[in-house]
Amino acid sequence: MKFYPTVNVLRNEKKELLKCLNSKNWSSFKGSLKESDYKNVLGLSSLSAGKLKDLEIRFLGGKYVRRLESNVAKQFKVKYCVSSNSATSCLHMALASLNVGPGDEVLVPSMSFNSTATSVLYVNAVPKFVEVKKDTFCIDPVDMKKKITNKTKAIIVVHLGGNSAEMDKILSISKKLKIPVIEDAAQAPGCRFKKKYLGTIGDIGILSLTETKNITSGEGGLLLTNNENYARRSRLVRNHGEGVILENLKKTDYENIIGMNYRLTELQSVIAIEQFARLKKVNMVRKKNSEYLINGLKKFNKILIPQKIENNTEYYPYILKFLWRGNHILNKKTLIKKLNMAGIPFTGGYERMMHENPIFSKMIAYKNGCPYFCSKNKKISKKYGKGTLPISERINKDFIWFKFIHPPNKKIQMDYIISNFKKILGDI
Ligand SMILES: Cc1ncc(COP(=O)(O)O)c(C=O)c1O
């Protein structure tokens, strides 16, 4: 049985890409910024920036970058969309926008991809890891609340696998304490909670366009916000902002903004525009395949437990996640091996949880113990490593994942998986 990868080149992409190639503007960004631009341009909504002439304000990128941002802002019903070369860059831009820095803690669920937490180190703050809920695998608001201190400067929630975190509870806690929330929606483009797109409910949201994700431009990321100040600061970080910071700005305008080159190219933007136009269609196939597969495996649902979807969530899965609780019948490693031998690419969860990663467990990031033991961070209580988050560790130990639910995979692939599970597990 053949399982197909996510990347699939279509006619529109080829046509537009060729136009862009021939235009010879492959990245129209310029790093220079005039005082008048700072005042009048940096805070322009993405819709207004999309209406500028092709090469008018190059600090905000070329026509395809701005068209992408304008389209996504419209599609996701948000004022600002700031693209970059990855979701990781967007996480950094988000934390810098919120002015997170030395002496600050950021709450992060350990169950995620590494950069959700390493991005906190980029701004010299430290992450504090939080447990996830046993059934939804998204951040547990109860543990989150317990871990808030007067040093907590931001909370990152992760909408794992397309499932929504419990946003009502999270926001009721964070709003009361005035702690901003970043939504890492890298794995959840187009998913909604109470009809609002994930990534647009908190203060800042981020999406990923890396090659494994629901839609892709090879690499790429998008930051979403309704806050003008966060949009300005993100746009500065993305494009060498510190190199052009103007003498007479207030300190708070440029504090904690180290300008990078996080710019998305015009070529990638062309692809991303077409991919977003197709998002709904692609997501519907993911939903259909995964529902069919879960239903076909229902017979085993005492030992093969699918991720519980949070109430009020419109869910389009990224990687299908199950807990394998059938070790008394067949251990997880053997099950995966048997499936793989039949040509079915199931895998076994994260290599390790983030809090077990040596960059945290050994507290070694920058030289001289920074940021963990640098001046202001010295007083922060930090506890990392195996055993500190037993719920997340147990879930990861039991995880089995399947990712090929995207088009052009369809019923025939799902039927093949179901029949192989039946063959392997027999009549239990
Ligand atoms: C939850 C989560 N956050 C962040 C990222 C980073 O995305 P990117 O590869 O675009 O930097 C990923 C990518 O795998 C992810 O799954």
Side-chain angles (χ1 to χ4, degrees), residues 359-408:
I359 198 167
F360 301 111
S361 63
K362 293 188 192 302
M363 289 200 228
I364 297 169
Y366 299 106
K367 251 174 93 166
N368 302 326
C370 287
Y372 303 102
F373 304 107
C374 276
S375 63
K376 291 196 157 189
N377 289 336
K378 265 187 195 144
K379 294 200 187 88
I380 294 173
S381 64
K382 300 161 285 262
K383 217 168 141 202
Y384 302 114
K386 214 174 175 58
T388 55
L389 293 164
I391 296 170
S392 305
E393 288 167 33
R394 170 77 205 272
I395 292 170
N396 196 44
K397 200 161 143 240
D398 293 346
F399 258 157
I400 65 167
W401 290 359
F402 181 68
K403 105 178 197 198
F404 292 81
I405 47 173
H406 50 260

Side-chain angles (χ1 to χ4, degrees), residues 86-88 91 112-113 115-116 158 184 186-187 208-210 213 220:
S86 73
T88 304
L91 283 164
S112 185
F113 179 72
S115 67
T116 311
V158 178
D184 181 341
Q187 300 185 1
S208 170
L209 293 170
T210 193
K213 294 294 185 278

Side-chain angles (χ1 to χ4, degrees), residues 307-428:
Q307 180 176 22
K308 180 177 174 251
I309 304 312
E310 190 59 61
N311 293 336
N312 301 306
T313 302
E314 190 181 321
Y315 164 68
Y316 302 106
Y318 161 58
I319 291 179
L320 263 194
K321 294 178 167 66
F322 298 89
L323 295 176
W324 175 244
R325 294 273 158 83
N327 282 316
H328 54 291
I329 297 163
L330 194 65
N331 74 45
K332 181 175 117 173
K333 234 178 167 173
T334 313
L335 172 68
I336 292 175
K337 199 166 158 201
K338 282 180 186 268
L339 289 164
N340 291 170
M341 270 163 34
I344 303 170
F346 265 71
T347 57
Y350 286 110
E351 207 52 53
R352 54 166 98 83
M353 292 282 78
M354 286 196 295
H355 66 280
E356 299 171 314
N357 186 320
I359 198 167
F360 301 111
S361 63
K362 293 188 192 302
M363 289 200 228
I364 297 169
Y366 299 106
K367 251 174 93 166
N368 302 326
C370 287
Y372 303 102
F373 304 107
C374 276
S375 63
K376 291 196 157 189
N377 289 336
K378 265 187 195 144
K379 294 200 187 88
I380 294 173
S381 64
K382 300 161 285 262
K383 217 168 141 202
Y384 302 114
K386 214 174 175 58
T388 55
L389 293 164
I391 296 170
S392 305
E393 288 167 33
R394 170 77 205 272
I395 292 170
N396 196 44
K397 200 161 143 240
D398 293 346
F399 258 157
I400 65 167
W401 290 359
F402 181 68
K403 105 178 197 198
F404 292 81
I405 47 173
H406 50 260
N409 299 298
K410 48 179 179 254
K411 189 169 170 285
I412 186 171
Q413 279 85 3
M414 304 305 125
D415 277 330
Y416 182 72
I417 298 170
I418 295 163
S419 72
N420 270 280
F421 261 98
K422 287 181 179 159
K423 246 192 250 165
I424 294 168
L425 297 176
D427 279 331
I428 57 160

Side-chain angles (χ1 to χ4, degrees), residues 7-21:
V7 176
N8 194 8
V9 184
L10 296 180
R11 209 169 349 130
N12 262 3
E13 275 154 354
K14 279 190 190 162
K15 204 172 92 200
E16 281 300 315
L17 208 44
L18 199 60
K19 260 201 238 166
C20 180
L21 274 169

Side-chain angles (χ1 to χ4, degrees), residues 91-97 99-104 106 118-126 256 366 371 377:
L91 283 164
H92 181 200
M93 282 149 54
L95 289 159
S97 300
N99 209 10
V100 178
D104 297 332
V106 178
T118 50
S119 60
V120 179
L121 303 177
Y122 302 165
V123 291
N124 277 295
V126 293
N256 206 24
Y366 299 106
N377 289 336

Side-chain angles (χ1 to χ4, degrees), residues 103-167:
D104 297 332
E105 289 177 348
V106 178
L107 300 190
V108 185
S110 179
M111 185 154 297
S112 185
F113 179 72
N114 267 323
S115 67
T116 311
T118 50
S119 60
V120 179
L121 303 177
Y122 302 165
V123 291
N124 277 295
V126 293
K128 194 166 188 176
F129 289 110
V130 180
E131 286 280 26
V132 289
K133 286 172 49 176
K134 281 181 185 154
D135 47 4
T136 68
F137 316 145
C138 292
I139 192 165
D140 175 6
V142 178
D143 193 48
M144 181 193 99
K145 192 173 175 194
K146 269 196 235 157
K147 287 181 173 156
I148 293 175
T149 68
N150 58 3
K151 298 194 184 299
T152 310
K153 190 72 186 279
I155 297 167
I156 304 181
V157 305
V158 178
H159 300 302
L160 199 80
N163 197 10
S164 174
E166 235 181 327
M167 290 311 286

